[in-house]
Amino acid sequence: MIINIVAILNIFLIGHMVFTFAERKNKSFPLPLNIIYSFMLGVGITTLSYFLFLITFGRYNILYLYCETSFSIVGGFLIFRKIRKNHVSLFKPNYQVIIFSFLAFVVSIFLVIFCLYHPHGEGDSITIWNLRARFLFLGGANWRNAFTDLLKYSHTNYPPFLPLAISRFWYITGNDSLFFPMGIALFSTIASPFVLFFSLDFFSNKFKALTASLVLLGTSAFLTQGASQFADIPLSLILLLIFVLAKFYNFNNTRMIYIMGFLSALLAFTKNEGVLIFLIFSIVFLIKKTRKERIAYFFGALPVLLALLYFKLFLAPPDDIFAEQTTSMLLQKLTNFQRHKIIILFFGKNIFFFGDWKINPFIILIPFLFLQFKKTVSLNSFRIRGFLILLLILVFEYLVYQISPYDILWHLKFSFNRLLLQLWPSFLFLSFLG
């Protein structure tokens, strides 16, 4: 039990130390956002350090835990000694906070019950993420076999952020407890509504914050996919956190760009489509930024990008989208208008029904967005650039479907809804902002 607490506490203290020092001397985030950012940063930092340890020493040993805990103790000491007592801005209880907290609590209970009925997850979480984590944990010095081409059916070229994060817990505790993958899934799922509520309360108003968070809590597909331990929901949380930080950076804080670079690169280390999202976000966000800001963003992202580069060059088999396709085959598919027709019709039919809602929120959101956009006239506004990022992601994913080596309808049915769920929390944040 104690070792479990140490494994989790290390994550929070290390992440909180980094986030607090980036945030200090500026107007700070509310406490719930501070906690979520601390955990996400901590997971990213400890997962990367664990990956570096495996690469350097060939396998896990107790030295890693000693080093991580020592750094965590130093972080905790610096937090309590050097950070002002009023650093974290608390929020005042009000009826909106009470309503949201109650509904989030009720949803959390149902998510826990769902996880208990599906402890190993479902679909990809079993055949890809948790399978890879068990190879890493049980493989010992042969942990690299987790990415062998013999397991091509389970997409061994997918970035290893989630399997590494899970296997780190298992190595530290000495057993492959289902608690940790379920815990990561539950945290990723329930953290997104919290980020939505408190960020919109911070930037906008409580009514918009409550409405947006309730829409997300009412998106049943988002909740079930998250509780099923799919990597799409952690990816959606990271993307949402980056958008909130980008707004905060424009709003007040210039130090956060290092954290933005780090978190945005985690997108690329989580899923293959995260590479595309990272590139699009980085290009659009860095437009009209200074050279100093671009360098800071790059250095924040660099540790994660180096880890991804090592993985792709020395561990992962070739990407299944391009591995067995020639240039002529790709060009032929790009000019195949029948494929274009299938994809366009599928996009148009499913984009309004991906959430498995009983009542479609787009009925309310479309007129609301129309009224909001009448107020948005500057092409340089944060919201316009944010929606441009989401649109470009869909455009480039459209092209990926166009060149897919798989049966096109199968590929769309298998992944399109999950792609939209990756963008959904960020879409709600941008929609209700301002």
Side-chain angles (χ1 to χ4, degrees):
M1 183 64 181
I2 294 177
I3 198 67
N4 292 356
I5 295 174
V6 169
I8 297 173
L9 193 60
N10 283 354
I11 285 177
F12 178 76
L13 289 177
I14 292 172
H16 188 63
M17 175 184 65
V18 174
F19 186 71
T20 299
F21 275 91
E23 186 190 33
R24 67 175 182 164
K25 296 183 180 179
N26 294 274
K27 188 174 182 179
S28 59
F29 276 173
L31 179 60
L33 289 181
N34 194 294
I35 292 172
I36 292 170
Y37 275 104
S38 296
F39 269 112
M40 282 307 304
L41 276 173
V43 171
I45 294 169
T46 55
T47 300
L48 280 184
S49 63
Y50 162 68
F51 187 42
L52 178 62
F53 192 92
L54 288 180
I55 294 170
T56 305
F57 295 96
R59 63 176 301 161
Y60 175 87
N61 62 57
I62 198 66
L63 176 64
Y64 172 78
L65 180 59
Y66 289 150
C67 294
E68 184 184 276
T69 305
S70 299
F71 191 52
S72 173
I73 293 171
V74 172
F77 176 77
L78 292 176
I79 289 169
F80 290 112
R81 285 292 301 270
K82 295 185 178 181
I83 305 301
R84 300 192 305 269
K85 292 182 180 180
N86 62 346
H87 173 67
V88 177
S89 62
L90 300 175
F91 56 92
K92 297 179 181 179
N94 52 65
Y95 79 90
Q96 291 97 337
V97 173
I98 294 172
I99 291 173
F100 168 73
S101 300
F102 173 74
L103 292 175
F105 176 73
V106 172
V107 169
S108 299
I109 292 175
F110 283 103
L111 289 176
V112 170
I113 294 172
F114 186 95
C115 281
L116 292 176
Y117 273 97
H118 305 85
H120 295 279
E122 293 185 310
D124 282 1
S125 60
I126 298 174
T127 60
I128 299 177
W129 315 113
N130 291 339
L131 174 66
R132 199 81 67 252
R134 282 190 167 80
F135 265 90
L136 289 168
F137 171 60
L138 298 173
N142 298 313
W143 60 270
R144 287 177 173 82
N145 289 338
F147 311 105
T148 176
D149 199 27
L150 295 174
L151 297 173
K152 183 188 295 187
Y153 68 90
S154 68
H155 301 286
T156 47
N157 65 316
Y158 280 12
F161 177 57
L162 269 184
L164 285 168
I166 295 169
S167 64
R168 169 197 166 272
F169 276 113
W170 287 346
Y171 265 124
I172 290 176
T173 59
N175 66 86
D176 56 345
S177 168
L178 299 176
F179 166 79
F180 294 113
M182 285 194 297
I184 292 174
L186 289 171
F187 172 80
S188 302
T189 307
I190 205 63
S192 294
F194 273 87
V195 173
L196 261 185
F197 181 85
F198 288 103
S199 61
L200 288 172
D201 183 31
F202 185 86
F203 294 120
S204 189
N205 60 60
K206 288 181 172 57
F207 174 75
K208 291 182 178 179
L210 183 60
T211 305
S213 56
L214 292 185
V215 170
L216 187 58
L217 285 172
T219 307
S220 60
F222 183 86
L223 301 177
T224 54
Q225 295 258 353
S228 298
Q229 303 176 32
F230 284 88
D232 304 271
I233 305 307
L235 186 80
S236 73
L237 173 61
I238 297 170
L239 182 60
L240 175 61
L241 290 173
I242 297 166
F243 271 114
V244 174
L245 272 187
K247 177 62 178 174
F248 190 66
Y249 171 78
N250 291 335
F251 183 77
N252 193 61
N253 192 335
T254 57
R255 293 188 178 190
M256 285 296 176
I257 194 165
Y258 290 97
I259 305 299
M260 285 178 57
F262 181 82
L263 286 177
S264 62
L266 281 183
L267 293 168
F269 204 46
T270 303
K271 292 199 75 179
N272 278 339
E273 58 263 41
V275 177
L276 176 64
I277 299 173
F278 164 72
L279 291 174
I280 292 173
F281 180 90
S282 301
I283 292 170
V284 176
F285 172 74
L286 293 176
I287 291 175
K288 294 192 175 181
K289 293 294 186 287
T290 66
R291 182 171 178 268
K292 181 180 179 181
E293 290 168 325
R294 291 170 183 167
I295 291 174
Y297 182 89
F298 172 76
F299 274 105
L302 186 60
V304 187
L305 296 180
L306 289 176
L308 179 64
L309 186 64
Y310 179 89
F311 170 74
K312 288 294 187 180
L313 290 179
F314 301 107
L315 295 176
D319 189 282
D320 50 359
I321 295 290
F322 301 100
E324 298 178 2
Q325 299 201 86
T326 64
T327 303
S328 60
M329 291 171 64
L330 294 175
L331 289 174
Q332 185 180 17
K333 288 179 177 179
L334 285 172
T335 55
N336 186 327
F337 291 101
Q338 183 61 30
R339 291 175 69 90
H340 282 289
K341 179 182 177 181
I342 292 172
I343 298 171
I344 291 171
L345 289 176
F346 193 94
F347 271 43
K349 180 179 178 181
N350 289 275
I351 201 165
F352 293 106
F353 302 102
F354 65 90
D356 295 339
W357 298 288
K358 300 298 181 184
I359 300 176
N360 195 324
F362 278 103
I363 298 172
I364 302 172
L365 280 178
I366 290 176
F368 174 80
L369 286 174
F370 177 76
L371 293 174
Q372 287 291 305
F373 272 118
K374 290 179 68 176
K375 304 175 184 178
T376 307
V377 294
S378 173
L379 292 178
N380 292 320
S381 74
F382 175 81
R383 294 178 73 218
I384 290 294
R385 296 172 78 176
F387 281 119
L388 176 62
I389 290 171
L390 300 185
L391 178 61
L392 288 174
I393 291 170
L394 286 176
V395 169
F396 279 94
E397 286 294 343
Y398 172 93
L399 295 176
V400 171
Y401 284 122
Q402 188 67 24
I403 63 173
S404 171
Y406 307 111
D407 176 79
I408 187 64
L409 279 176
W410 174 87
H411 198 175
L412 285 164
K413 291 177 181 178
F414 183 74
S415 62
F416 182 66
N417 284 355
R418 287 159 55 180
L419 168 64
L420 294 180
L421 290 174
Q422 294 171 12
L423 310 180
W424 182 231
S426 298
F427 177 82
L428 289 174
F429 173 71
L430 294 169
S431 299
F432 287 88
L433 191 62

